[in-house]
Amino acid sequence: MRDSTLAGQFFDAAIGLLERVRDEESGNIAAAGAAIADTVAAGGRLFAFGAGHSSLAAQDVVYRAGGLALMNLLAVPGTVGVDVMPATLGSALERVDGLAGAVLDSSPAEAGDVLVIISLSGRNALPVEMAMNARALGLKVIGVTSVAYAEGTRSRHGSGGFLRDHCDIVLDSKISIGDAELTVEGIEAPFAPASTVVTSAVMQAMMAAAAEQLVARGVEPPMLRSGNVDGGHEWNGRVMTEYRDRIFYRR
């Protein structure tokens, strides 16, 4: 029986988006997984970046149970979460020219590494310049974004381009402009955003594709275990020691 409540409608909307991404982006997810596997096998490093709520999906693949131990968060101070005060400062920083280059120049990222950039709209200066600068440095860039924004809004970057225009691989989250799945009489603004659910699923699917590729090449993926299961801490300690030159969230 179909659930007609608003909560049920949100689940239906989110499931529909997940099914679309699964069916329509499978090739791009496989390509992203292969790029990550190539980098792991070659001794390179992995980074994920997102600003504002896009940072949630980036953080979800860093130092987490069942995750690839080599994924590092490329953080831009003031844009990682709503803990910065005022919270609106994070949004303002996304529009600052030159910030991405300064962050990359002071980061451990280098040619041959992979950077996954998450930006729902892909229109602000920070993600666009992050992609442009990363590629100039020789990194492979995977973009996770909503192509709808590039087709229905204007870029806020001086080049007029969007994140999708500066990536080696683009994964489309299928999220509509405005990121709100529900409307109802009595509530003036659309509500119930699904971008975090969908984008996090895309990131985890990408990690699964990378693990599959590594196993196919005879390479054991360096995965982390939960610290809340017996032996988890010991397992993670061994993994982090073996790959300490490619893990930066312990420093």
Side-chain angles (χ1 to χ4, degrees):
M1 182 176 178
R2 194 175 185 85
D3 186 349
S4 62
T5 66
L6 291 178
Q9 290 177 37
F10 175 76
F11 277 114
D12 289 341
I15 291 168
L17 285 164
L18 289 169
E19 289 177 338
R20 280 192 64 197
V21 172
R22 179 197 62 195
D23 297 342
E24 298 173 19
E25 296 297 309
S26 59
N28 293 327
I29 290 172
I36 290 171
D38 288 343
T39 301
V40 172
R45 290 83 64 83
L46 308 173
F47 299 89
F49 163 77
H53 285 89
S54 290
S55 179
L56 296 175
Q59 294 179 60
D60 193 45
V61 294
V62 176
Y63 183 51
R64 69 114 64 235
L68 197 58
L70 305 187
M71 186 60 73
N72 300 277
L73 184 67
L74 185 63
V76 176
T79 70
V80 177
V82 294
D83 57 331
V84 62
M85 297 300 287
T88 51
L89 176 62
S91 298
L93 289 173
E94 290 186 59
R95 305 179 191 183
V96 174
D97 294 333
L99 184 55
V103 169
L104 276 171
D105 288 344
S106 61
S107 79
E110 58 187 34
D113 293 344
V114 163
L115 172 59
V116 183
I117 300 177
I118 305 165
S119 175
L120 177 61
S121 73
R123 67 193 296 231
N124 289 311
L126 185 54
V128 173
E129 291 185 358
M130 190 69 76
M132 295 173 69
N133 281 275
R135 292 179 87 187
L137 290 173
L139 279 76
K140 176 156 282 191
V141 176
I142 300 170
V144 182
T145 188
S146 169
V147 171
Y149 278 86
E151 296 174 344
T153 68
R154 288 185 295 180
S155 172
R156 288 177 173 149
H157 187 251
S159 68
F162 287 76
L163 170 60
R164 72 163 187 177
D165 301 319
H166 303 285
C167 298
D168 297 288
I169 301 168
V170 176
L171 281 67
D172 182 7
S173 65
K174 315 296 181 181
I175 300 296
S176 300
I177 295 172
D179 190 18
E181 296 301 317
L182 301 182
T183 57
V184 68
E185 186 176 351
I187 301 178
E188 292 299 319
F191 60 101
S195 61
T196 302
V197 173
V198 176
T199 305
S200 292
V202 168
M203 294 296 290
Q204 294 300 342
M206 190 192 311
M207 297 301 107
E212 183 177 31
Q213 285 276 344
L214 287 167
V215 170
R217 303 175 195 193
V219 178
E220 181 179 358
M223 312 302 291
L224 296 173
R225 292 178 180 264
S226 171
N228 294 313
V229 299
D230 293 342
H233 285 298
E234 292 76 14
W235 172 280
N236 292 341
R238 288 192 297 271
V239 171
M240 291 181 184
T241 297
E242 181 177 354
Y243 293 94
R244 60 184 175 274
D245 60 328
R246 292 192 265 173
I247 293 175
F248 302 100
Y249 48 80
R250 297 190 71 193
R251 302 179 185 178

